[in-house]
Amino acid sequence: MRLRPRLVLLLVVSTLIPLGLTGWMTAHLSRQNNIAQARQLQQRQAEALATLTESWREDSLRALELGLATWDVEQLSAAERAGLQRVLYRQLDAVNIVATVDRAGQPVVPPTTLGEGETVGELSRHQPVGGARLERLLSRIPAPGPGAVSVGQVYDPGDGQAAVLPVALASPKGELIVVVELSLEELEEGFAAQALPHGGALLMASTGDRILGPGEDTLPQTTAWLGAGLSGELEYDTAQGREILATFQGISGAPWTVVVSQERDQITAAGDAIALKVAYVYLLALVLVGATAAVSANQIARPMLALRRAAERIGQGKLGERVQWQGRDEIAELAETFNDMSERLQAQASTIQAKNQEIEGFNRELQDRVRARTRELEQSQARLVQSSRMAAVAQLGAGLAHELNNPIAGILGLSQLAQQQPAASEGLLQSIEGEALRCRDILQSLQRFSGAGGVSSREPLDLSQLLHQVLVLVRSSMEEAQVQVDLEPLPALPTLGDAALLGQAVTQLLRSLRANLAPGGRIRISGRSALGEVGLEMKLDGPARPSKDDWLASGMGFWVAQQVLHEHGGRLEEGAVASRVWTLWLPAAEDPERAGQ
């Protein structure tokens, strides 16, 4: 991303993120505060409605008990019982039915009630009752003990009127029961009057059924929070998907619970309004900050662009390029510093050029010295190789002297004996001839192995026979070093090459291996043939020489042998350090292309 959009993005993000977080926190805290206040209001309302319900219930039951306490129903006549029913009926506006029944539930006097169209005057607060409603009440009579009061379950009378509560008051002996139906209409009006805005107030039974009050039809299915005086908070969703926050308060002495509820959206409406206003402010701030950031970024990016173009021209070789910028701020200081740098580069250009010419002259001189030194090293290398080969020839000469000593001594002895015994001169002359032929063979071997130069021609030869010939010449040096050569039966190892050079290579290799062994050591030699190659494996057996040998005695010999083998398309393969095994490999004669490389 380029500088200008990056600066705009940085300014916008650094400004709007704190603003957005502040607005979000304000709206969030406002919603939480609205919920907390609503919870407090719900709690107070639930407590007030629970107190209202408890007072109404206790006052109604107490009034009925007091109205019946001074009378022995069982001792009253039928007319007196009817009068007592009318007294109880008029005592409370919530009374709809008063009936005196026996233990079988049969009325002993006609029930006191109000028929249809009789809700006038002082009785206007009572509900009219039909026959079906009276039968429903008699079927729900709770069973109190003698002299006790029993309250039944609230139920819907089924004629569109408010829910009713059945109450049974037993006589002292329990033979007769006065049954009263109390209407909860007054209590329902109180719930409706005290319901919170956009909410509801319910009176719930312990079974989970709604007794009265407007509100949501959907409540949590569990009823563990109902009754027993429990209180707390609820959150649930209606069938229409609206989220409801509610507070419940149980009523002491009754299996009822007051539930006060409100929609969450209505509670958090103020916080939502704040969030909407914050969003408007945020959008306005986005526009203002974006414009301000664009202007600020342009003021920074323009001089940076001018500096970049000037730097590109300097990079193209136009030293002394200047940037014109007015002002006293940091950007103007940067432009002035850039101009100073450009002038210094221009002033130092000639110095740099002279230094470059001087360095180029030095490099040419250094290259000449390197080439001269390389020629010297090549000449030294050639001399070292020639010296090593001469050392090999000298070693062969030492072996030759040792080998020739025996036949020459024999020739001398036989000649002297022939002079003393002329009669046996024919047999002695034959022996002298044999010893002379032996000297010739030895001299031919030396002449064959002492030839110098590259591989001019290759001839078929047997590597096994070549090894036997070399061992004849180096036997004396091995005996002097007290190193024994153990030669396993060798198979035919046909190859192509220069016998003189290969003989020198084998001699140098044996010489180097001998230099690595202490007196008493052994060199075990065996033949190898695999994958179009023939080879000689040489393994050292015995302690190493305690003193460090010089390089010409060992390392140079390995190197010369490697070079000769390489010229013949072969190689010298060294095994693991602990194995102390070297294998000389050459192309087999059956592969003439590789043998002729």
Side-chain angles (χ1 to χ4, degrees):
M1 184 181 295
R2 301 185 65 81
L3 179 61
R4 184 180 288 110
R6 188 163 65 245
L7 289 175
V8 172
L9 181 61
L10 178 62
L11 292 174
V12 170
V13 171
S14 61
T15 303
L16 294 184
I17 287 181
L19 181 61
L21 290 176
T22 302
W24 180 83
M25 288 298 298
T26 301
H28 178 72
L29 293 177
S30 177
R31 293 189 185 96
Q32 295 300 318
N33 185 50
N34 293 338
I35 293 175
Q37 292 179 354
R39 287 294 193 186
Q40 294 178 359
L41 182 60
Q42 288 178 359
Q43 183 178 2
R44 290 196 295 268
Q45 194 71 10
E47 292 176 353
L49 291 175
T51 302
L52 173 65
T53 304
E54 183 178 355
S55 299
W56 178 87
R57 183 176 182 276
E58 291 181 355
D59 292 344
S60 299
L61 295 179
R62 184 61 177 167
L64 293 176
E65 289 179 356
L66 292 176
L68 192 62
T70 56
W71 303 96
D72 186 356
V73 182
E74 296 177 353
Q75 302 299 325
L76 297 178
S77 63
E80 291 173 337
R81 292 172 182 170
L84 177 59
Q85 288 182 171
R86 287 193 295 272
V87 170
L88 294 177
Y89 187 83
R90 291 175 175 272
Q91 188 173 356
L92 297 173
D93 292 339
V95 175
N96 295 328
I97 302 173
V98 180
T100 304
V101 299
D102 55 16
R103 279 294 175 179
Q106 299 298 321
V108 295
V109 293
T112 301
T113 182
L114 190 66
E116 297 290 341
E118 296 181 2
T119 57
V120 295
E122 298 178 355
L123 302 179
S124 61
R125 296 290 297 176
H126 295 271
Q127 297 178 4
V129 177
R133 184 164 174 176
L134 176 60
E135 294 178 359
R136 189 176 297 110
L137 171 64
L138 295 179
S139 64
R140 294 175 176 268
I141 297 176
V149 178
S150 179
V151 180
Q153 296 288 338
V154 178
Y155 64 92
D156 184 1
D159 53 5
Q161 299 293 336
V164 295
L165 175 68
V167 180
L169 300 93
S171 63
K173 295 182 180 180
E175 296 297 331
L176 296 178
I177 300 174
V178 177
V179 182
V180 180
E181 180 190 89
L182 293 178
S183 173
L184 301 184
E185 183 178 3
E186 180 182 357
L187 197 58
E188 187 173 7
E189 292 175 355
F191 270 68
Q194 297 190 37
L196 296 175
H198 306 287
L202 305 177
L203 182 62
M204 305 292 296
S206 60
T207 59
D209 298 326
R210 188 174 67 173
I211 298 176
L212 56 85
E216 302 296 335
D217 294 330
T218 303
L219 286 171
Q221 295 182 355
T222 176
T223 58
W225 52 276
L226 294 172
L230 299 177
S231 62
E233 299 176 351
L234 293 173
E235 291 188 19
Y236 57 92
D237 297 331
T238 65
Q240 294 77 22
R242 292 176 295 173
E243 188 175 358
I244 302 298
L245 301 181
T247 301
F248 63 91
Q249 177 66 51
I251 299 175
S252 300
W256 297 345
T257 298
V258 175
V259 180
V260 178
S261 62
Q262 283 181 290
E263 294 184 14
R264 186 186 184 93
D265 293 342
Q266 296 298 329
I267 295 175
T268 60
D272 295 338
I274 293 176
L276 183 60
K277 293 178 180 179
V278 169
Y280 290 149
V281 173
Y282 191 81
L283 291 177
L284 179 60
L286 177 61
V287 175
L288 295 177
V289 172
T292 304
V295 174
S296 301
N298 187 55
Q299 292 179 351
I300 297 175
R302 283 178 56 197
M304 295 296 104
L305 181 60
L307 287 172
R308 191 201 70 181
R309 291 173 179 171
E312 290 177 351
R313 289 192 290 271
I314 291 176
Q316 295 171 359
K318 299 178 181 180
L319 302 179
E321 186 72 21
R322 295 182 59 85
V323 177
Q324 301 299 330
W325 189 261
Q326 302 297 327
R328 296 183 178 180
D329 54 6
E330 289 80 0
I331 296 178
E333 294 177 357
L334 178 61
E336 186 64 26
T337 303
F338 179 86
N339 294 334
D340 293 341
M341 179 195 68
S342 179
E343 292 174 358
R344 291 179 182 178
L345 288 175
Q346 186 179 20
Q348 295 176 0
S350 58
T351 304
I352 294 175
Q353 184 177 4
K355 294 293 184 181
N356 288 337
Q357 293 176 355
E358 182 180 352
I359 292 173
E360 290 176 358
F362 177 76
N363 288 337
R364 287 193 294 271
E365 181 181 357
L366 182 60
Q367 290 176 358
D368 294 339
R369 292 181 180 180
V370 170
R371 283 193 291 269
R373 185 60 177 168
T374 302
R375 286 194 297 270
E376 293 177 0
L377 291 176
E378 290 175 351
Q379 293 173 1
S380 298
Q381 179 181 3
R383 287 194 296 270
L384 286 174
V385 172
Q386 185 63 26
S387 298
S388 178
R389 289 180 174 177
M390 293 301 295
V393 173
Q395 184 175 10
L396 292 176
L400 174 64
H402 184 273
E403 292 296 328
L404 288 177
N405 185 50
N406 292 331
I408 290 175
I411 292 174
L412 181 60
L414 290 173
S415 299
Q416 294 174 354
L417 185 60
Q419 293 176 0
Q420 297 175 2
Q421 299 179 5
S425 59
E426 183 178 356
L428 293 175
L429 289 175
Q430 291 178 353
S431 298
I432 292 173
E433 182 182 8
E435 293 297 331
L437 291 175
R438 180 182 175 190
C439 291
R440 186 192 64 181
D441 293 339
I442 293 174
L443 289 175
Q444 288 177 351
S445 297
L446 176 61
Q447 184 179 8
R448 186 183 307 116
F449 293 149
S450 62
V455 184
S456 59
S457 63
R458 289 181 172 85
E459 298 179 355
L461 58 90
D462 189 345
L463 194 58
S464 299
Q465 296 178 2
L466 181 68
L467 176 63
H468 285 289
Q469 295 173 1
V470 171
L471 290 178
V472 170
L473 298 177
V474 302
R475 182 169 54 190
S476 61
S477 62
M478 291 291 182
E479 292 176 353
E480 291 177 0
Q482 300 181 16
V483 174
Q484 182 176 347
V485 177
D486 293 340
L487 184 63
E488 296 182 2
L490 297 177
L493 302 174
T495 185
L496 295 175
D498 189 317
L501 290 177
L502 291 177
Q504 292 179 12
V506 175
T507 302
Q508 291 283 32
L509 182 58
L510 289 173
R511 178 169 171 260
S512 298
L513 295 179
R514 183 203 65 195
N516 282 277
L517 282 173
R522 294 174 179 272
I523 302 177
R524 302 183 184 275
I525 304 176
S526 59
R528 292 288 182 268
S529 178
L531 300 177
E533 291 182 324
V534 294
L536 295 174
E537 181 182 278
M538 302 180 184
K539 181 176 181 181
L540 301 185
D541 187 7
R545 184 177 296 273
S547 60
K548 184 179 288 187
D549 192 16
D550 63 317
W551 180 71
L552 286 174
S554 58
M556 187 62 185
F558 284 121
W559 186 84
V560 171
Q562 178 68 38
Q563 290 296 109
V564 173
L565 293 175
H566 180 71
E567 292 173 358
H568 285 77
R571 67 186 187 280
L572 179 61
E573 186 178 277
E574 183 178 358
V577 177
S579 64
R580 303 170 70 191
V581 175
W582 284 262
T583 306
L584 182 152
W585 291 103
L586 286 170
E590 291 78 6
D591 190 359
E593 293 184 0
R594 184 172 179 183
Q597 291 178 352

